[in-house]
């Protein structure tokens, strides 16, 4: 590579929400291996410390900051603590949940929980972090979207609504904040073998449908999202703003 520094994250601090396990932890490891000091966020300190210890054991600079991303006051307090230790150069808004049920009987409590976790939290954390980024004139925000930002499936209409909203919030953030030197983009995974999708992975009928529906004819592996995240987190994407980078094995390219 003629300019590997384009993808280097050396000297940068990256906050990843929902990072004690799953996709968030995988992305944290990828950013850490590219040189970033990664800060793992979640609600359970013990789980965060366990994940952090594993990263440190691999030679990655890592720390934790536990707070509830659905609580705006807790978010502001947590970000204030972090910025006293150093700037947050990169934010990955990864925290998210799923609940599957027929729309006609979807529980109101689960609707509210999805909105708080998948949408409110993206706004709360990005707003709190962006203030410091704006004052410095630089920063990277990556919001985790989904192929469900574009397409629906039975029994997940509320989840689809949240991810469609995150897509448009990402574009709105770019519209407001790009002038201050920030790049705000979305990363939209297709169907990956993650804990959130464990029930679907274990369902032979669904896996058969997915492999027929996806041109790549397989589930994605979590580590296959790292390259896209590094691109959006690094100087390589310095003029990319409001873009949704889909990584789905071709699913949304075909009918």
């Amino acid at each position: 590579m003629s300019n590997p520094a384009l993808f280097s994250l050396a000297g940068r601090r990256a906050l990843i929400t929902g990072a004690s396990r799953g996709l968030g932890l995988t992305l944290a490891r990828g950013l850490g291996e590219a040189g970033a000091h990664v800060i793992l966020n979640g609600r359970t300190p013990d789980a965060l410390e366990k994940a952090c210890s594993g990263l440190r054991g691999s030679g990655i600079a890592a720390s934790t900051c536990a707070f509830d991303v659905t609580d705006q006051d807790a978010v502001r307090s947590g970000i204030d603590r972090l910025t006293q230790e150093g700037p947050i150069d990169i934010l990955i808004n990864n925290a998210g949940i799923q609940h599957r049920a027929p729309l006609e009987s979807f529980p109101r409590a689960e609707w509210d929980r999805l909105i708080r976790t998948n949408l409110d939290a993206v706004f709360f954390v990005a707003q709190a972090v962006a203030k410091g980024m704006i004052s410095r004139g630089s920063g990277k925000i990556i919001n985790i979207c989904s192929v469900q930002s574009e397409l629906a499936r039975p029994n997940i209409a509320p989840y689809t609504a949240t991810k469609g909203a995150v897509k448009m919030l990402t574009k709105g953030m770019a519209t407001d904040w790009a002038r201050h030197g920030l790049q705000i983009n979305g990363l939209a995974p297709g169907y990956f073998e993650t804990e959130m999708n464990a029930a679907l992975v274990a369902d032979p009928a669904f896996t058969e449908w997915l492999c027929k529906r996806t041109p790549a004819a397989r589930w994605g592996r979590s580590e296959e999202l790292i390259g896209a995240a590094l691109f959006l987190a690094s100087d390589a994407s310095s003029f990319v703003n409001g873009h949704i980078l889909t990584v789905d094995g071709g699913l949304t390219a075909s009918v």
Side-chain angles (χ1 to χ4, degrees), residues 43-77:
R43 292 184 297 180
T44 309
D46 288 347
L48 289 173
E49 288 299 335
K50 180 178 179 181
C52 190
S53 177
L55 294 180
R56 289 171 178 158
S58 300
I60 292 171
S63 58
T64 68
C65 188
F67 57 83
D68 182 351
V69 293
T70 69
D71 180 335
Q72 190 171 27
D73 289 337
V75 169
R76 288 170 174 166
S77 177

Side-chain angles (χ1 to χ4, degrees), residues 75-89:
V75 169
R76 288 170 174 166
S77 177
I79 299 304
D80 284 346
R81 294 198 307 271
L82 285 176
T83 53
Q84 288 173 10
E85 300 168 1
I88 299 172
D89 303 295

